[in-house]
Amino acid sequence: MLTMADTQQADEQAAGGAAAATPAEKRADKQAARLARQIRSFASSHGGSAEGQLAHIGRGRTRIALVGANGEWGNLVADSYLAAKKATEQAGIALQDDFDGELAAKVRTGRYEWSRMAGLQLGGPANA
């Protein structure tokens, strides 16, 4: 004898439907939608398009490094790789495997970044 839950699952499978999303998948979907809006906003503000690269940064989090068409760059952090991947797919940006080569060459750095990279050696702000 089938219970109501068994019947519903059998009906979904027969109709080609997917199983219900787990709480983690629901969180990833919600975060991905928010991040996708931020990525699209970044792209439109920086030349109309952007490219990105995903990198694991620890404790399950993933950094989305973005480079706009005008060379400006920025980062977003997702709580999971799944959320980061979904966000970039929803935003429609191209992903690169590494943040080197062509992608790194597109980055435009300003005086602030150079002073922060050099730190005290060139009179930049102290890290204290």
Side-chain angles (χ1 to χ4, degrees), residues 35-58:
L35 290 169
R37 284 191 302 274
Q38 292 174 319
I39 293 168
R40 284 190 295 270
S41 176
F42 175 87
S44 68
S45 298
H46 297 288
S49 65
E51 293 181 60
Q53 188 264 338
L54 303 180
H56 174 73
I57 57 174

Side-chain angles (χ1 to χ4, degrees), residues 54-86:
L54 303 180
H56 174 73
I57 57 174
R59 296 191 180 208
R61 294 180 172 237
T62 299
R63 175 186 70 149
I64 305 169
L66 299 168
V67 179
N70 65 355
E72 293 292 323
W73 59 280
N75 290 301
L76 293 170
V77 176
D79 291 336
S80 67
Y81 182 84
L82 178 63
K85 183 74 172 164
K86 285 182 177 189

